[in-house]
Amino acid sequence: MVATVVYWFLLVYITTALVWWFIALQSKTHLISVHDMMALSPNDPSFLQKSKEITDEEKRKTAQYIGEGATFLVVILIGAVFVYRAVRKQLKMTQQQQNFMMAITHELKTPVAVAKLNLETLQKHKLEESQQQKLIQATLQEANRLNTLTNNILISSQLEGGAYIITKEDLDFSLLVSSCVKDFRRRFPQRKIADSIEDAVDMLGDALLLQILVNNLLENAIKYSPHESVIHISLIKTEDKALLKISDEGSGIPDKEKSKIFERFYRIGNEQVRKAKGTGLGLYLCKIIVADHNATISVTKNHPAGSIFAVNFHL
Ligand code: ADP
């Protein structure tokens, strides 16, 4: 806030000083011309010639001041726009980092607290088999969430710092996607996940990263859609391309947010009012992984509601 006030004050001050400088110089030049004119004698045979020279000189000076002043003004305005954008970007980043810290504190505390409570209950009470299974299932779910979270944080910082060495191998992407789907069905038995995965889609890739990609997209589809809705996942291969699609019938993504959701820490809405848990790292990581695998990722509207995330691999 203070920085904004100082910024605008300085900009207005510099611009006003520039205009003032122009007016002052201009009036001085005019005074000099008037003075020179008065010094001329009307009887001088070259009076006309000299007075023309004086007016020309005044005009030349005016043009010079306008040219120099305009150049200064343009340079100052370019600088001001540059500083404004840089500061705004920095402020946005700080805000997102604060959001991330808030989210992550919450995200780390909840699974640990839930797992602790469930394990204590199992230890203290002799429960029926079905109740035991329920608690174990809930604990596993929290442990999985913690696993995804730590993986996302670790891998994204390692990829950024160049510490993660991507090791690509020939792999069966169909098997990898199917095993992710199987894992999600086990983790979320109450959710409907429909799949249509073409067999033997082979590609060169880093298995861990590709798994993180599929998991993050599936996790979002589950997180941002109603419990009773269906999630579709498909993998098809054409001549030199493989297309992975994950669609949900959830809230969807407004057009103006479509490019932003792939930014680091970006989450739609406000941290205080948001219900779904997350850190804003998932899609950012997906974008990096996709780029490392000669692929592109895009998001479109699903009908009647929801979103479709499509990853297009160039094989
Ligand atoms: P996180 O889910 O941890 O917040 P992501 O990077 O995975 O972070 O997603 C960024 C944001 O994009 C989410 O906060 C959410 O607002 C939006 N988003 C992602 N996937 C979906 C989806 N399938 N449906 C609706 N919104 C989504």
Side-chain angles (χ1 to χ4, degrees):
M1 182 60 200
V2 180
T4 317
V5 173
V6 171
Y7 172 85
W8 284 112
F9 173 76
L10 280 178
L11 189 61
V12 171
Y13 177 79
I14 292 171
T15 318
T16 319
L18 194 66
V19 174
W20 183 246
W21 164 84
F22 172 75
I23 295 170
L25 270 182
Q26 180 62 19
S27 68
K28 267 214 177 95
T29 315
H30 184 65
L31 273 180
I32 292 170
S33 305
V34 171
H35 180 263
D36 288 352
M37 280 289 205
M38 279 166 57
L40 288 181
S41 154
N43 303 328
D44 189 337
S46 58
F47 175 80
L48 272 179
Q49 163 77 18
K50 281 186 177 156
S51 66
K52 190 176 174 300
E53 272 171 16
I54 292 170
T55 353
D56 283 353
E57 175 66 9
E58 187 181 341
K59 277 188 191 152
R60 202 181 60 73
K61 280 254 155 58
T62 308
Q64 182 191 340
Y65 300 149
I66 290 177
E68 282 174 2
T71 314
F72 272 137
L73 194 63
V74 168
V75 170
I76 288 167
L77 289 181
I78 290 175
V81 169
F82 186 75
V83 170
Y84 184 78
R85 285 168 68 164
V87 170
R88 245 179 62 149
K89 203 171 153 192
Q90 191 62 38
L91 284 177
K92 206 174 115 197
M93 203 65 209
T94 315
Q95 174 69 39
Q96 285 179 359
Q97 260 162 3
Q98 275 171 1
N99 272 349
F100 172 71
M101 282 317 289
M102 273 170 72
I104 205 161
T105 322
H106 182 250
E107 290 283 283
L108 286 174
K109 270 172 80 177
T110 323
V112 175
V114 172
K116 188 167 173 270
L117 189 73
N118 289 352
L119 289 175
E120 279 171 358
T121 314
L122 282 170
Q123 193 185 38
K124 278 188 198 149
H125 307 281
K126 269 250 160 289
L127 296 176
E128 278 177 21
E129 177 67 23
S130 67
Q131 275 177 315
Q132 276 188 22
Q133 280 310 318
K134 227 175 164 178
L135 284 182
I136 292 171
Q137 174 67 24
T139 314
L140 262 177
Q141 200 152 315
E142 293 303 321
N144 276 323
R145 213 150 59 77
L146 205 55
N147 188 34
T148 310
L149 176 73
T150 40
N151 260 349
N152 278 355
I153 297 172
L154 261 174
I155 303 284
S156 63
S157 76
Q158 284 180 349
L159 278 173
E160 252 167 33
Y164 185 89
I165 313 287
I166 300 176
T167 35
K168 288 192 183 170
E169 51 181 325
D170 270 320
L171 52 87
D172 184 340
F173 192 49
S174 313
L175 271 184
L176 188 144
V177 176
S178 301
S179 99
C180 292
V181 172
K182 210 169 127 195
D183 186 44
F184 269 81
R185 284 195 179 124
R186 195 176 47 75
R187 282 170 60 189
F188 302 93
Q190 69 281 23
R191 297 294 310 247
K192 291 185 211 92
I193 306 177
D195 67 292
S196 137
I197 300 165
E198 203 175 300
D199 275 341
V201 177
D202 296 321
M203 65 167 71
L204 199 65
D206 183 311
L208 176 66
L209 295 187
L210 289 174
Q211 199 183 335
I212 290 176
L213 169 76
V214 180
N215 281 347
N216 278 340
L217 293 177
L218 273 173
E219 184 121 20
N220 279 352
I222 286 189
K223 233 175 12 180
Y224 299 106
S225 67
H227 281 280
E228 63 288 351
S229 66
V230 187
I231 286 149
H232 290 267
I233 176 162
S234 69
L235 176 66
I236 45 173
K237 190 182 172 192
T238 57
E239 212 171 293
D240 56 349
K241 280 184 183 149
L243 181 65
L244 172 75
K245 266 190 185 173
I246 294 172
S247 47
D248 63 68
E249 294 163 6
S251 47
I253 293 157
D255 282 343
K256 65 177 184 10
E257 305 276 7
K258 278 186 177 143
S259 60
K260 294 189 195 156
I261 53 172
F262 294 97
E263 288 171 16
R264 189 163 62 139
F265 306 142
Y266 191 84
R267 307 193 70 208
I268 300 176
N270 182 305
E271 206 52 51
Q272 275 86 11
V273 298
R274 236 188 315 257
K275 284 198 212 88
K277 294 162 180 150
T279 54
L281 273 178
L283 288 179
Y284 167 70
L285 202 49
C286 288
K287 190 182 74 176
I288 299 183
I289 296 172
V290 154
D292 282 332
H293 284 82
N294 198 20
T296 52
I297 186 165
S298 61
V299 56
T300 47
K301 271 195 176 67
N302 195 9
H303 292 288
S307 14
I308 306 175
F309 281 85
V311 184
N312 208 343
F313 293 91
H314 305 268
L315 302 175

